[in-house]
């Protein structure tokens, strides 16, 4: 029987990290700072990014042999929840996805080459998730890698590349003539790579279109492992990383709404007196707590039963997507006219929710896979 | 039946009405203005710039000059004294033609009808025609920072002077079009010593007097269009009063009935032609890429689209049924009072569903070259809250329906 | 352009019928009578049934040339709503389905043979909807009709046959050797037909299993028209007839809950004061009114644009199914402990809702067809 | 992972615990009673007949004699003084083995734990062991016809006599198992002149005294199992009082915490092994015929089943997380207070979904030879309201959570 520890493997060290993260982001990234960065060209605070690196948080889950802290996924989830709570604009998630991908697909030589700089925060990595035709799974990859002298030539279009305009290193899935998908690591800037920032609905999260127009890379730039398998492992980790962030952000939206329901009076009463206000807030809280359960469960699964982590990971992303969407929908509605203005901070959470739900699969997407795992004997997903 | 027929607005019509419809349709086809080359707002709630305003005023004026506005208003105030049905047809054909909306919506739908009920002859003569022609834009001064859902708690003060005129001091918010308005329908307190409801009066306030400051508010979409208005001892003539002093709450409730679509008599029909929205949703579904192909092929989304279609059709049928008293005998007010609530929530779910189906494509915003339909869907989803909050929040409307239609005890 | 009249074709005559129906059922079928009949072996009041016949209501929509009142579908919907409101136990719906089927499939000779007696209420008809393998559409028919001397031999199993144990005349779809489905009219009792009453969840609605064990029928017993086409037309009318009943019953459940919310006090207040009680009641009312719109619209469609009635009919059944289910779910819940007992009348509505939703297609079933009509170019359904 | 592993109850366990689990599992396998040949109730809420009761008492006795009940109760009252964890494991294995439920649930889960908190040594000695052995069945007398959600409005009177004993007069309803009970936990008013809350006291009432009338109520399923109890000057000894006079509301709140799964310490674990229900739902889906094949192949139902699976797993994880204080630091009470609400509503949706998927097959009732699973699903759906209403309605629980966990103002 494969099981996670009854306490999720939670330790005092994790608790200290959680508290430290909450303190740091409260101090360094109040909502005024988020608003400043929303209008900033770069879109994040390089000082804070550097600090995350020096705290060892950029490589929290990366193995110690590759310069990381090797603490595992659970503390990472706790950290991401705190980042989500403050909507911290940061290339953190982007770099995380790159390190997951290199860790999953790279040989030890390749890991040793790229992971330490990402783990230290010296370089920002990212993973090219989408293409214009949609989908993030390996079967959706249409970009090509043609063998060429001393390496490969990459061609294709990528979209919604997190922190694309800031990244120093891009992990990009391309299809080889054999039909197999491989992951290539491209150090940026590179000849033939055009990066164009996208104008996104969520101003706290920057993405870019990346055009690969005959990009020459060396043989070693191709990660050794199966690209499809590495992508699958990377995605599963990405589901939970993003879900953790979403749970934190949904919780913050909930607390903001709760506070408003206590402060605001109408008809001579605090509006939280009215069950039409109170009960939706309670339902959001319940959803947030249940989604948090799944984030913790999935994080523990990566740490202890990684072969059985895909289902918990999909559950976490599915539930977090729906819960966050509800939290901000109710958040705007229950703030009334004020909630509909740019003066109210809720809109920042609202936009983050739109982005987060859409990225790396929404509720229907993951439930489709989960149903297959539950209902079909010959399900492709390992249960 | 072809698609265009399926989504049409009305049941089978008498010949004269059908002919009128065809006449309007032909006119719209011939006169619908071309794309102005700049971004137009999605509704009158988001009008920001002078050029948007000029363009939209000109369009309304053209419709009025063609004889298609104020059809059900008396001829002596600029209308035509026709049955309300004809005005509805114009509204439906406006929507069908995808023509621009009528910018003076607050005048046409809320202020004008209220003046028709409560106004003196002089007020009607003065106020109504420029509403129809869009020469004078109207705004509404009901909500205050401390009185949103609880409108009757308004504290803006209209103090009577010795000469019978008034001085206004206070603070109104969410004032759509205040930046463009010549007039405001204003709910203000004339007698602070009277009861909460009895102390209120209703005014037709001239915006171009000293002591009025209009400060734009910005919506979560980044768009403008609504404002806060601060009154600092602003003068208002005696004949600005609509109805009697102390009758303000009753007058305001009448306005709210018009605002919530619960009463007829608007000078220009609302843009609610049936089929429009689900038709647009279908187009999104057919373009929205999902893992399994397009959203239009995904049974889970198909089920939700069909549900919205059912609701849209039910709303269309409401408009027909509302006009047959016997078919509303058990709850005569129900359909009218629930109309805004149902429509606004339907509309919110529809625009959210469009975003869901589009997935990452719905995360691109205005200005991005790859944004689907110029980011219309995330923008529509955000703007949908204007309707579920403004004009009585969904929560308040459920109270109103529960209390007035079902006789449940008051929650307050 | 094909359109229903803007007033649904509603007339003063319809209004009088509606009022008369409401009065009659209030008088003849109060809830005490429903409870009595729920325990009754026959399950309905033959006296009331006879009265419906003599009022001309058993043949309300049947053409005058076949002994009916020829009033069309709209007054029928109004009548059924009133029957639903009182949960009137009656073979009315069963007989209606039989007359729809004979009208849709029969030659004028066949109509003249069977319809008058059904329209007058002299004989009770019914239509065999389901088989053990499920489904009510023509493609689900597995019962067979083999040509035999002078007619056919019918074999098969039918289930959920409305009023099966009371019916004098059964319309039964069977598949011929050609593969085509035809409708056969079997006068009951008949040799080879075994009728066994089912024990159903809804005690106000009786159904039966019918076994056809080599039943000989004459050639004329086969309705002339295409069985599949006749079934389709019959089903569409059945959707709306049942939906009309459901709207009436859902409205009654709503009113009962509203009344309880006014009468019952807790915490020193009428419970209807609390929005957790008030708002769900409002939402049920909204649902009931919207479903009623569709019933009226679909009824008018049968009367005025029958070629375009299938979509309105499916909409009516889909929405009524969901609304009635919600009305009784909230009805039981908001009545508290009392609502959970057999003393509270709500359980009768609850059970009727379970039966009605399941019969003739539920929300997902009809939405699937509606989606096809809306989204697929080559949809089989005429839009 | 195999299916049986996927749905198992707990995370990775220390060796001794894992061994204990295997031991219990083996015992269950060997001792689970065979089908008695008559209908068993779905839960302790629906026990009707003597033979059902006898069968279920014997089973509970067997579990107790085997050493698997009262594990976390002190040895001197019949327990074993083990950690609560072991009792939970028994509960999980009971469910896993599909063994009959423990009939004295009110004693094990609510009365016993409350007595452990508030009882005198004498009360603990007298009351607890027969709870474990099922020799003495317990019922709960909280609700009254006029005090359902508003329990503190109870008017049943316990009048103190000169000798210190009491006389009880009043009316309790929804009294599960009253027909079989030797004891009732009774909330009654001892001081009508005191405040609503302060006037209440909590008693361990002996059901076999004169002046007690138990009248069965019938559930909407037609099943019995609960009752109304009418007290007409019924005598009760002085030592029936639990806690102090006037402390009744506090004691009752403690009981409610146990009832809502918000506190640990039940003598016998609840039957909430994870995976059980969705597993049953899957089996229904695979047998439920839909137009397109089986419900298990219909993407719309698959989506809803997956959603329930997600919720079931979330509830399972709640049980783990609730025991790590740091992971509940922001809202220490949340998981426990929301447990009953979430589970009961999940359970209701699950059983309703099963009925929906089964379609007409779910309209056959107990006794019909073709009824699927002996009409278990429509019966389960109806019985699900027992849980969303009893022990605090879902509406009341949302108030409780909003007020106690989130600090929202009281709605009353």
């Amino acid at each position: 029987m494969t099981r996670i520890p009854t306490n999720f493997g939670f330790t005092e060290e994790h608790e200290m990290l959680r508290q430290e993260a909450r303190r740091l982001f409260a101090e360094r990234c109040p909502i005024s700072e988020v608003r400043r960065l929303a209008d900033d060209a770069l879109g994040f605070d390089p000082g804070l990014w550097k600090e995350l690196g020096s705290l060892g948080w950029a490589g929290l889950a990366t193995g110690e042999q590759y310069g990381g802290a090797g603490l595992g996924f659970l503390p990472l989830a706790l950290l991401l929840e705190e980042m989500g709570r403050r909507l911290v604009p940061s290339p953190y998630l982007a770099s995380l996805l790159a390190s997951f991908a290199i860790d999953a697909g790279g040989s030890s030589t390749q890991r040793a080459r790229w992971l330490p700089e990402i783990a230290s925060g010296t370089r920002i990595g990212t993973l090219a998730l989408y293409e214009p035709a949609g989908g993030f799974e390996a079967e959706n990859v249409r970009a090509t890698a043609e063998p060429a002298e001393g390496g490969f030539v990459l061609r294709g279009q990528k979209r919604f590349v997190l922190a694309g305009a800031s990244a120093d290193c891009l992990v990009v899935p391309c299809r080889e003539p054999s039909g197999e998908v491989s992951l290539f690591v491209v150090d940026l800037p590179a000849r033939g790579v055009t990066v164009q920032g996208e104008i996104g609905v969520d101003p706290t999260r920057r993405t870019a279109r990346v055009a690969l127009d005959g990009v020459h890379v060396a043989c070693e730039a191709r990660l050794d492992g199966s690209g499809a398998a590495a992508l699958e492992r990377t995605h599963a980790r990405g589901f939970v990383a993003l879900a953790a962030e979403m749970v934190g952000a949904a919780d913050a939206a909930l607390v903001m709404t709760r506070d408003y329901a206590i402060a605001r009076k109408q008809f001579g009463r605090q509006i939280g007196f009215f069950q039409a206000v109170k009960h939706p807030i309670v339902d959001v809280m319940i959803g947030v707590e249940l989604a948090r359960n799944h984030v913790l469960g999935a994080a523990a699964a990566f740490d202890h039963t990684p072969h059985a982590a895909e289902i918990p990971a999909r559950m976490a992303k599915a539930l977090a997507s729906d819960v966050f969407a509800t939290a901000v929908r109710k958040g705007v509605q229950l703030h009334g006219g004020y909630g509909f203005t740019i003066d109210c901070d809720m809109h920042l959470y609202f936009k983050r929710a739109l982005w987060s739900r859409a990225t790396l699969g929404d509720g229907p997407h993951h439930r489709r896979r989960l149903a297959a795992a539950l209902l079909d004997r010959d399900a492709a997903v390992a249960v | 039946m072809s698609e265009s027929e399926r989504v049409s607005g009305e049941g089978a019509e008498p010949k004269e009405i059908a002919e009128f419809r065809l006449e309007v349709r032909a006119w719209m086809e011939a006169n619908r203005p071309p794309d102005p080359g700049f971004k137009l707002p999605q509704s009158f709630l988001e009008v920001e710039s002078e050029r948007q305003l000029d363009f939209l005023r000109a369009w309304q004026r053209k419709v009025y000059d063609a004889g298609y506005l104020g059809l059900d208003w008396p001829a002596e105030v600029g209308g035509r004294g026709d049955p309300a049905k004809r005005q509805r047809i114009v509204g439906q054909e406006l929507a069908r033609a995808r023509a621009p909306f009528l910018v003076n919506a607050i005048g046409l739908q809320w202020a004008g009808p209220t003046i028709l009920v409560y106004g003196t002859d002089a007020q009607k003569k003065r106020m109504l025609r420029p509403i129809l022609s869009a020469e004078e834009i109207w705004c509404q001064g009901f909500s205050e920072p401390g009185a949103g859902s609880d409108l009757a708690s308004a504290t803006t003060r209209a103090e009577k002077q010795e000469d019978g005129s008034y001085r206004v001091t206070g603070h109104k918010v969410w004032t759509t079009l205040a930046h463009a308005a010549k007039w405001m329908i204003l709910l203000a307190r004339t007698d602070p010593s009277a009861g909460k409801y009895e102390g209120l009066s209703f005014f037709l306030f001239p915006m171009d007097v000293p002591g009025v400051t209009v400060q734009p508010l910005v919506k979560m979409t980044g768009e403008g269009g609504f404002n806060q208005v601060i009154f600092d001892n602003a003068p208002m003539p005696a004949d600005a009063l609509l109805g009697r002093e102390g009758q303000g709450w009753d007058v305001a409730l009448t306005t709210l009935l018009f605002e919530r679509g619960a009463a007829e008599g608007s000078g220009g029909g609302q843009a609610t032609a049936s089929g429009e929205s689900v038709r647009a949703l279908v187009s999104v579904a057919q373009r929205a890429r999902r893992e399994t192909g397009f959203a239009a092929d995904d049974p889970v989304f198909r089920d939700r689209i069909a549900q919205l279609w059912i609701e849209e059709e039910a709303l269309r049928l409401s408009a027909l049924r509302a006009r047959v008293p016997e078919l509303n005998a058990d709850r005569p007010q129900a359909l009218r009072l629930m109309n805004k609530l149902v429509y606004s929530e339907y509309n919110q779910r529809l625009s959210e569903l469009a975003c869901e189906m589009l997935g990452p494509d719905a995360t691109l915003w205005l200005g991005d070259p790859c944004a689907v339909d110029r980011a219309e869907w995330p923008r529509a989803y955000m703007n949908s809250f204007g309707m579920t909050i403004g004009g009585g929040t969904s929560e308040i409307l459920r109270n109103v329906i529960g209390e007035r239609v079902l006789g449940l005890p008051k929650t307050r």
Side-chain angles (χ1 to χ4, degrees), chain A, chain B:
Chain A
M1 241 178 260
T2 320
R3 287 167 164 172
I4 59 172
T6 54
N7 71 345
F8 304 103
F10 183 79
T11 67
E12 238 173 79
E13 192 177 7
H14 299 159
E15 174 62 11
M16 282 167 56
L17 176 85
R18 190 177 72 84
Q19 292 185 11
E20 172 60 12
R22 185 173 292 193
R23 196 200 52 70
L24 179 75
F25 296 128
E27 188 187 304
R28 298 291 300 279
C29 200
I31 200 76
S32 56
E33 173 71 358
V34 176
R35 284 178 176 273
R36 187 185 71 77
L37 291 169
D39 291 332
D40 181 70
L42 185 61
F44 67 93
D45 170 10
L48 180 59
W49 173 246
K50 210 173 159 188
E51 191 163 344
L52 298 188
S54 58
L55 282 165
W57 292 358
L60 203 61
T62 307
E64 290 175 87
Q65 67 274 42
Y66 304 118
L71 288 180
F73 208 107
L74 186 68
L76 186 63
L78 297 172
L79 175 69
L80 282 160
E81 185 180 327
E82 296 307 323
M83 293 184 81
R85 192 183 306 282
R86 295 285 175 179
L87 297 181
V88 178
S90 174
Y92 192 88
L93 186 61
S95 229
L96 198 60
L97 289 171
S99 64
F100 289 154
I102 294 167
D103 192 55
S107 64
S108 53
T109 314
Q110 289 171 321
R111 293 181 192 176
R113 172 167 168 196
W114 282 292
L115 288 180
E117 286 188 320
I118 294 177
S120 67
T122 317
R123 306 187 79 206
I124 295 172
T126 191
L127 170 68
L129 283 179
Y130 288 89
E131 299 192 9
F136 59 88
E137 320 266 358
E139 72 239 41
N140 304 114
V141 172
R142 298 182 182 193
T144 57
E146 297 279 345
E149 207 176 325
F152 298 87
V153 177
L154 313 182
R155 282 197 178 78
Q157 306 291 325
K158 298 287 178 178
R159 281 172 75 179
F160 308 111
V161 181
L162 264 170
S166 311
D168 305 301
C169 156
L170 172 73
V171 182
V172 59
C174 294
R175 196 169 293 282
E176 298 198 50
S178 68
E180 294 297 305
V181 168
S182 292
L183 300 184
F184 295 84
V185 185
V186 182
D187 292 316
L188 297 178
R191 189 198 292 266
V193 177
T194 319
V195 178
Q196 185 198 6
E198 290 167 324
I199 301 175
V201 66
D202 177 5
T204 67
R205 178 132 280 171
R206 300 299 165 85
T207 62
R209 262 178 289 284
V210 176
L212 306 168
D213 191 13
V215 183
H216 284 264
V217 293
C219 280
E220 311 86 73
R222 182 177 71 172
L223 297 183
D224 275 11
S226 146
L231 265 187
E232 227 173 75
R233 291 181 57 190
T234 302
H235 290 151
R237 281 161 178 75
F239 302 155
V240 183
L242 185 48
E245 229 197 41
M246 292 166 83
V247 164
D251 201 333
L254 158 70
V255 168
M256 196 183 304
T257 311
R258 189 267 314 263
D259 291 348
Y260 188 75
I262 291 172
R264 171 80 172 170
K265 284 191 177 179
Q266 289 283 276
F267 305 105
R269 295 181 175 283
Q270 296 162 287
I271 62 171
F273 163 90
F274 297 104
Q275 289 172 326
V277 175
K278 176 185 289 182
H279 288 193
I281 295 176
V282 168
D283 286 335
V284 167
M285 184 210 85
I286 288 172
V288 167
E289 295 299 347
L290 295 179
R292 181 174 280 129
N293 287 353
H294 274 301
V295 167
L296 295 169
F302 286 124
D303 290 339
H304 301 277
T305 57
H307 60 287
E310 183 181 341
I311 283 178
R314 290 191 187 276
M315 286 186 171
K317 180 61 170 68
L319 189 56
S321 295
D322 292 342
V323 165
F324 193 11
T326 307
V328 297
R329 193 189 308 111
K330 289 295 172 187
V332 170
Q333 178 71 22
L334 298 178
H335 272 79
Y338 171 59
F340 185 57
T341 67
I342 212 149
D343 299 320
C344 177
D345 299 327
M346 188 57 71
H347 81 97
L348 293 163
Y349 288 89
F350 189 95
K351 292 165 182 173
R352 176 65 73 88
L354 278 186
W355 185 89
S356 305
R357 170 167 68 183
T359 301
L360 282 169
D362 52 13
H365 175 97
H366 290 295
R367 287 197 296 272
R368 202 171 69 77
R369 298 299 192 100
L370 289 167
L374 182 68
L375 290 156
D376 304 338
R377 255 166 213 290
D378 51 352
V381 181
V383 182
Chain B
M1 214 197 299
S2 76
E3 195 195 352
S4 70
E5 286 168 336
R6 187 187 343 123
V7 296
S8 61
E10 291 280 308
E13 291 166 337
K15 187 149 170 286
E16 80 195 63
I17 290 293
E19 282 171 7
F20 178 69
R21 183 183 291 281
L22 290 177
E23 171 202 320
V24 178
R25 188 170 298 177
W27 185 88
M28 291 290 166
E29 208 50 55
N31 290 279
R32 183 183 50 206
D35 187 316
F38 50 85
K39 185 193 86 173
L40 279 178
Q42 287 183 319
S43 80
F44 74 94
L45 298 167
E46 294 104 29
V47 179
E48 296 173 300
S49 69
E50 278 297 320
R51 65 180 182 178
Q52 288 176 339
L53 190 65
D54 291 345
F55 176 88
L56 291 164
R57 282 171 103 129
W59 167 240
Q60 182 178 329
R61 176 65 186 251
K62 191 168 184 181
V63 177
Y64 176 59
D65 287 346
Y68 294 140
L69 269 185
L71 288 175
D72 52 342
W73 288 8
E76 55 274 27
V77 301
R80 311 197 138 221
D82 276 358
K85 171 174 265 181
R86 288 187 169 236
Q87 191 63 64
R88 275 197 307 275
I89 286 167
V90 173
Q92 287 158 1
E93 294 302 322
L94 268 171
R96 184 191 159 91
R98 298 180 174 259
F101 58 86
L102 301 175
V103 69
N104 204 9
I106 296 172
L108 291 167
Q109 293 171 29
W110 313 340
T114 308
I115 292 168
L116 274 168
V117 174
Y118 287 98
T120 63
D121 284 351
Q123 285 171 325
K124 292 182 195 168
K125 271 244 158 77
R126 166 66 188 83
M127 300 296 182
L128 295 173
R129 188 187 305 265
I131 287 177
L132 296 170
S133 64
E135 278 165 82
E136 296 179 349
I137 302 291
W138 283 70
C139 66
Q140 181 191 46
F142 282 15
S143 290
E144 299 184 5
S149 289
D150 184 12
L151 284 181
S153 290
T155 60
T156 291
R157 186 83 170 81
E159 207 158 355
K160 201 167 198 164
Q161 309 298 304
E162 286 185 7
D163 63 354
S165 73
Y166 298 83
R167 290 279 177 167
V168 183
T169 299
H171 189 170
K172 295 287 177 182
V173 286
W174 330 131
T175 322
T176 298
L177 283 170
H179 54 294
K182 164 81 179 95
W183 299 98
M184 168 190 275
I185 43 176
L186 171 68
L187 187 64
R189 195 159 293 280
T190 39
D191 185 355
S193 65
K196 179 172 173 179
Y197 300 97
E198 296 74 18
L200 293 169
S201 299
F202 195 109
F203 296 98
L204 311 177
F205 178 84
M207 293 291 283
D208 52 3
V209 295
V212 177
T213 312
V214 176
Q215 293 173 345
L217 292 167
V218 180
K219 297 191 167 74
M220 62 191 296
T221 57
E223 295 167 299
F226 71 160
N227 310 273
Q228 44 187 342
V229 181
I230 293 157
F231 305 86
D232 179 11
N233 208 30
M236 176 168 67
D239 66 358
L241 181 69
L242 187 71
R244 285 178 287 100
E245 256 197 33
Q247 197 187 8
W249 183 244
D250 289 345
V251 182
L253 283 181
T254 303
T255 309
L256 289 176
L257 283 182
F258 290 118
E259 182 167 354
R260 293 167 189 171
E264 294 217 348
S266 297
Q270 276 168 278
T272 56
S274 155
E276 196 54 28
S277 304
V278 162
R279 191 159 53 169
L281 190 68
V282 166
S283 151
V284 169
Q286 286 164 342
R287 290 176 290 149
R289 285 193 196 82
R290 302 290 302 183
E291 196 194 2
T292 46
F294 291 97
D297 306 317
D298 182 323
V300 173
F301 288 116
R302 289 164 70 91
D303 185 72
R304 291 168 68 187
I305 293 169
Q307 177 62 26
L308 286 163
W309 190 25
I310 291 172
E311 291 173 34
E312 185 172 273
E313 281 293 297
L315 277 164
R316 181 179 71 81
L317 291 163
S318 269
L320 303 185
R321 185 178 146 214
R323 301 201 286 276
V324 187
E326 295 88 345
L327 293 177
N328 295 278
D330 288 335
R331 296 183 194 106
Q333 283 197 291
L335 292 186
R336 289 180 174 163
L337 281 176
M338 74 195 218
N339 189 49
K340 183 253 184 188
L341 171 63
V342 175
Y343 180 75
S344 63
E345 297 201 332
Y346 149 86
N347 177 60
Q348 187 163 92
R349 285 190 294 118
L350 186 141
S351 51
E352 187 179 10
L353 177 57
C355 292
E356 278 189 77
M357 293 193 300
L358 285 168
D361 283 343
T363 71
L364 293 177
W365 192 237
L366 275 171
D368 191 279
C370 297
V372 175
D373 298 342
R374 291 194 199 173
E376 179 183 333
W377 292 105
R379 202 152 60 104
Y381 178 37
M382 292 185 210
N383 278 329
S384 75
F385 289 89
M387 229 194 296
T388 57
I389 292 169
T393 65
S394 293
E395 291 76 15
I396 291 293
L397 293 180
R398 285 193 171 81
N399 280 353
V400 170
I401 295 167
E403 292 157 20
R404 288 209 227 159
V405 179
L406 291 170
L408 290 165
K410 289 211 172 190
T411 305
R412 269 186 292 281

